[in-house]
Amino acid sequence: MKTIGVLTSGGDSPGMNAAFRAVVRTAFTEGFEIVAFRHGFKGLIEGNFKKVGPTDVSNIIQRGGTILKSARCDEFRTEEGRAKAAEVLKDEGIENLIIIGGDGSFQGGTLLANEHDISVIGIPATIDNDLVGSDETIGYDTALNTAMDAIDKIRDTADAHDRLFLVEVMGRDAGFIALETGIAGGAELILLPESMTNIDEVRSSLNDVLKEQRRSSLVVVAEGDETGGALKLSEKLRDDFSKYEMRVCILGHVQRGGGPTARDRVLASRLGAAAVKAIKDGHSKVMVGIVNNRIKITPLKMTFGKRKDINFELLELSKTLR
């Protein structure tokens, strides 16, 4: 009986547990044994694992975070660290490794596979939705809904006091969360890493909105926007909008938490099952994703180090609707 190892790595995202559950139960159905590693690559190097079966993943599909835990592991960045990890896998007869994570995790997995001839399959799980090879990543929809709920509440108090709110959402290198939550939350302005931010244009746009509507205004800023984020933007704008009470709200890691939405649970279940089937079909060094609602297999080396394009039609729509 062949054995599959599985771990979660990188930043946690809602739906990781659902993906783990799908991996375990699909593997059992297909005749594989499953070994689960705790604390990501750190646990892999240290041999922190246990064999799991279908009952071990009961009642976890609705839970946020990851029951397998995640951790940064500088040792795995070294050849020596990856050699230790490979030795653990070989000692336990683990021929295949499923990594549930993002681009950094897949980069590490690719190095491990290339250096030690280990079969590695990636499942895209990141709230940033920035991985090439999948229209949507696990955790993104939940993060969107969490941010939108917060923005709706902020809008209420902004209107009550005629305040100008700058709301910062996650997105160091990608503006997917900012773009869609900005549109869904009715933001007057959305600032993204993918588009140039001219501070004079920001001032002009806000002046137009506030003059025409004579009420509060809400700006959604991705943390990676070139203005430096919401706090630095507020410093640049405060004198120009002194008659409005300007407030900054940084949503931060609240966007990572909470139980996954139905959409994320279904996505994670599909991708977890697809990862096991990819192993059964002999694939290695690939990521399983969803493109046009169909499973797509992409070489792992194509999923990191590249920028996934946002929907620029949505960006133009946001300008029309503000």
Side-chain angles (χ1 to χ4, degrees), residues 26 145 152 162 164 244 273 284 302:
T26 305
N145 282 277
D152 285 347
D162 287 335
L164 172 57
Y244 290 92
S284 178
M302 300 295 293

Side-chain angles (χ1 to χ4, degrees), residues 95-117:
E95 302 173 347
N96 305 276
L97 179 65
I98 293 176
I99 299 172
I100 306 171
D103 57 350
S105 303
F106 293 167
Q107 188 170 1
T110 300
L111 290 172
L112 179 67
N114 289 339
E115 293 168 359
H116 299 282
D117 193 28

Side-chain angles (χ1 to χ4, degrees), residues 23-101:
V23 166
V24 172
R25 294 195 167 175
T26 305
F28 179 80
T29 300
E30 297 291 347
F32 292 96
E33 286 190 338
I34 285 285
V35 170
F37 291 89
R38 287 173 58 83
H39 299 288
F41 292 129
K42 182 174 183 289
L44 180 56
I45 289 174
E46 296 174 350
N48 185 356
F49 65 86
K50 73 170 186 175
K51 291 186 177 180
V52 294
T55 59
D56 294 305
V57 292
S58 298
N59 200 33
I60 69 169
I61 193 171
Q62 78 281 8
R63 293 175 60 179
T66 163
I67 65 168
L68 293 181
K69 310 296 184 182
S70 186
R72 293 187 182 278
C73 184
D74 291 333
E75 188 177 5
F76 192 80
R77 298 176 186 271
T78 68
E79 289 186 14
E80 294 78 10
R82 293 190 293 274
K84 289 181 183 179
E87 193 66 26
V88 170
L89 292 172
K90 289 175 182 177
D91 286 348
E92 298 302 322
I94 300 171
E95 302 173 347
N96 305 276
L97 179 65
I98 293 176
I99 299 172
I100 306 171

Side-chain angles (χ1 to χ4, degrees), residues 161-164 207 210-211 214-215 237-246:
H161 297 277
D162 287 335
R163 285 174 177 162
L164 172 57
N207 270 319
L210 293 169
K211 181 179 179 180
R214 297 182 181 178
R215 61 172 177 77
L237 297 177
R238 197 170 298 278
D239 291 341
D240 299 283
F241 299 92
S242 56
K243 66 178 180 178
Y244 290 92
E245 290 186 67
M246 186 180 297

Side-chain angles (χ1 to χ4, degrees), residues 19 36 48 65 95 100 129 148 193 226 265 274:
N48 185 356
E95 302 173 347
I100 306 171
N129 195 38
M148 185 185 68
E226 63 180 329
R265 297 181 198 191

Side-chain angles (χ1 to χ4, degrees), residues 2 12 35 60 80 84 88 94 96 111 126 143 150 163 170 176 182 189 192-193 199 202 211 252 270 273 280 286:
K2 291 187 176 181
D12 62 291
V35 170
I60 69 169
E80 294 78 10
K84 289 181 183 179
V88 170
I94 300 171
N96 305 276
L111 290 172
T126 166
R163 285 174 177 162
M170 280 186 161
F176 292 94
L189 198 59
L192 314 172
I199 194 64
V202 172
K211 181 179 179 180
R270 291 181 68 185
K280 183 181 178 182
V286 300

